[in-house]
Amino acid sequence: MTETTPLEPTDDGRPAEKPVQLNDVADYDELLATHDLVLLEFVTSGCGICASMEPVLGAVARSAPGIVATVNAGLVPDLAAEFGIQSVPTLVVLRDGEEVARLDDGFQQAEPLVDTLETHAVQ
């Protein structure tokens, strides 16, 4: 698993973070073992909408509770099959390893994603 990498500090002094890249099912299992709240984005290579989501997910990773992770559905087909991924990008919110929300209708703005994570963080 590619670890979350600190970037330049944000205005509040916290280090900025970017999403974690999951390379296989073992990375996914490790992520669930260490994090209660996960926003998991399924992408594929060459997906323009997926690429446009990168800065949005970076903003979500810096400001929302939980951890943001991406997985290439074409490279980790077992995980994509487990979630029944039919289109990309698909965003899945997991709380304690259970799916609690799914967004699979294209590009998403950061604010609704942060709101969704905050809602599920307090449950």
Side-chain angles (χ1 to χ4, degrees), residues 5 17 38 44 49 51-52 66 76-77 80 83-84 86-87 94 103 108-109 111-112 117 120-121:
T5 306
E17 296 178 348
V38 176
T44 56
I49 296 173
S52 68
V76 191
F83 281 92
Q86 299 294 312
S87 64
L94 303 166
L103 302 149
Q108 303 291 322
Q109 297 290 334
E111 187 174 322
L117 288 168
H120 292 289

Side-chain angles (χ1 to χ4, degrees), residues 3-103:
E3 292 298 321
T4 305
T5 306
L7 301 173
E8 294 298 316
T10 59
D11 292 339
D12 63 359
R14 293 182 355 190
E17 296 178 348
K18 63 181 183 178
V20 171
Q21 178 66 45
L22 303 181
N23 298 310
D24 54 34
V25 175
D27 286 350
Y28 170 74
D29 291 339
E30 180 183 332
L31 187 76
L32 289 186
T34 56
H35 297 281
D36 295 334
L37 185 63
V38 176
L39 174 62
L40 184 60
E41 180 196 36
F42 287 90
V43 301
T44 56
S45 301
C47 169
I49 296 173
C50 301
S52 68
M53 287 291 300
E54 286 181 26
V56 171
L57 292 177
V60 172
R62 288 187 297 273
S63 60
I67 189 163
V68 178
T70 61
V71 60
N72 187 317
L75 300 177
V76 191
D78 292 345
L79 195 54
E82 180 179 329
F83 281 92
I85 301 303
Q86 299 294 312
S87 64
V88 292
T90 294
L91 298 150
V92 179
V93 178
L94 303 166
R95 174 80 185 161
D96 298 323
E98 298 294 322
E99 182 175 332
V100 294
R102 180 179 289 234
L103 302 149

